[in-house]
Amino acid sequence: MIQDLLLALAVSFGVTVFFGLWLIPKLRQMKAGQSIREDGPVWHMAKQGTPTMGGLMFIVGIGVACFTVGAFAFRAGQWGHGIVFLFSLFYAGIGFLDDYEKLKKKQNLGLTAAQKFLIQLVVAIVLVLILRHLGFLSPNLYVPFVGATLYLPETVYFIFAAFVILGTVNAVNITDGVDGLVTGVSLPVAICFGALAIHWGTLYGELGIFAGALIGGLLAFLLFNFNPAKVFMGDTGSLFLGGAICGLAFAMNVPLILVPLGVIYIVETLSDIIQIVYFKKTGGKRFFRMAPLHHHFEMGGWSGKKWSEKKVFFVFSAISAICAVIAFFSVSVRYGI
């Protein structure tokens, strides 16, 4: 179990690095440069033209690891890692379409909100139905920390699941706004799922392979994405990442773990919502200097002292790591192991 996870990590890391060394020059050659928000921090304009869609490199790395290291699991009839990968891949496809539209229009606007919502909703419903059919989940919600189980009607559960998946995927996407940020924040999340797979033994062994591959891919991508970033993951990568996190949570039948585990994602999203509502209610005033929250601290936060992108990265990643430890213990007794 541990050996498979570590092997998947190593394979994913190696493939991601080597593919990245080829991909980044190729993206530059194709002029696949990121368009920077005109209303964002002015110093971000220096990043204009940095290659985007770099998430392709860890998607390939994770895919290779899943279908090589996970080959024996497939033969044994264990399909969890393949299902979560394909689910994540569908979200990556949505992100790819969005990135392509942005590149075509040469601005930071891709698919419309309605288009993205409808496609993401369909993919979310399909995942839940497949996992339910294969017996990975039940319409019973395990409540972290409390250890109780809420028994829901299937229809209510499916509505809940779709809401959680759409919310999480887009929250991860919103967090991707500073060099390396969503990568650093998501690494502890992936490690938490890997630790749970090991802790629960053979119950979710194949999901440990996917978690290991996710850890390896993110570690490798961080080599290229840490400030100053040589490449951005784009919506291709961030939507894949959101799908991977949701897929693991639901496939392990502990979706409510996303509350303690995804604190940074939640706070980032809430900061965006608060900013919009406050702006409308006050006739143009801002609650934060800029939303999402990472930009607020870049612009000076409440103290007026600006944070560097590296400080945002380290502080937010450290908080995510603490939350991951708490989240692990909040569900670790789920199966009495």
Side-chain angles (χ1 to χ4, degrees):
M1 174 63 237
I2 297 177
Q3 293 87 338
D4 286 345
L5 186 151
L6 293 176
L7 182 58
L9 188 159
V11 170
S12 179
F13 182 90
V15 172
T16 300
V17 168
F18 283 109
F19 185 58
L21 292 171
W22 173 85
L23 181 64
I24 293 175
K26 195 70 176 176
L27 290 172
R28 287 202 190 100
Q29 182 184 337
M30 296 167 59
K31 301 188 185 305
Q34 175 74 43
S35 295
I36 304 299
R37 282 176 52 183
E38 294 179 1
D39 60 342
V42 293
W43 52 90
H44 279 208
M45 294 308 294
K47 303 179 184 184
Q48 188 84 13
T50 301
T52 188
M53 292 196 287
L56 288 169
M57 66 177 72
F58 62 75
I59 293 171
V60 170
I62 293 168
V64 170
C66 281
F67 289 95
T68 54
V69 180
F72 289 108
F74 282 132
R75 291 183 195 133
Q78 299 171 328
W79 295 90
H81 55 311
I83 292 169
V84 174
F85 175 74
L86 290 176
F87 170 70
S88 307
L89 199 60
F90 274 111
Y91 274 108
I94 299 169
F96 182 85
L97 289 174
D98 200 33
D99 285 333
Y100 178 77
E101 287 295 313
K102 290 175 184 176
L103 292 172
K104 189 169 69 172
K105 296 174 182 176
K106 299 297 180 184
Q107 56 183 339
N108 197 30
L109 294 170
L111 298 173
T112 66
Q115 288 172 328
K116 284 193 279 191
F117 175 81
L118 287 174
I119 301 172
Q120 289 179 11
L121 179 61
V122 170
V123 175
I125 292 171
V126 170
L127 169 76
V128 176
L129 289 173
I130 291 174
L131 290 177
R132 178 72 176 119
H133 176 71
L134 295 177
F136 279 93
L137 55 79
S138 63
N140 305 321
L141 282 178
Y142 180 80
V143 183
F145 304 107
V146 178
T149 302
L150 297 177
Y151 300 94
L152 302 177
E154 294 222 11
T155 303
V156 174
Y157 183 86
F158 290 148
I159 294 171
F160 157 82
F163 173 79
V164 170
I165 292 171
L166 264 63
T168 303
V169 167
N170 287 287
V172 173
N173 182 244
I174 287 171
T175 307
D176 184 26
V178 170
D179 289 359
L181 181 58
V182 75
T183 315
V185 167
S186 300
L187 260 171
V189 175
I191 292 170
C192 178
F193 283 120
L196 285 172
I198 293 171
H199 178 64
W200 287 329
T202 57
L203 188 61
Y204 291 121
E206 77 276 24
L207 293 177
I209 294 171
F210 181 85
L214 183 60
I215 295 166
L218 290 177
L219 282 171
F221 185 70
L222 194 56
L223 298 176
F224 304 99
N225 189 230
F226 187 70
N227 182 263
K230 300 177 183 67
V231 67
F232 300 135
M233 68 171 65
D235 284 0
T236 305
S238 62
L239 292 186
F240 175 92
L241 195 50
I245 292 166
C246 284
L248 283 167
F250 277 92
M252 290 185 176
N253 205 15
V254 284
L256 288 181
I257 194 180
L258 293 171
V259 176
L261 188 57
V263 165
I264 293 294
Y265 306 136
I266 294 169
V267 171
E268 288 272 61
T269 303
L270 285 176
S271 69
D272 236 9
I273 295 170
I274 291 169
Q275 185 84 322
I276 293 169
V277 172
Y278 190 81
F279 186 85
K280 291 180 178 179
K281 293 290 185 182
T282 60
K285 293 182 181 179
R286 298 175 185 269
F287 187 84
F288 299 101
R289 290 176 184 265
M290 184 176 291
L293 191 62
H294 53 260
H295 288 323
H296 173 68
F297 287 110
E298 276 192 284
M299 298 292 287
W302 289 286
S303 67
K305 188 174 181 180
K306 294 180 179 179
W307 286 17
S308 68
E309 290 192 51
K310 288 180 180 177
K311 182 173 181 178
V312 173
F313 168 86
F314 284 116
V315 172
F316 280 43
S317 298
I319 294 171
S320 181
I322 294 169
C323 291
V325 173
I326 294 171
F328 174 86
F329 287 107
S330 76
V331 299
S332 59
V333 295
R334 169 74 167 96
Y335 299 104
I337 297 174

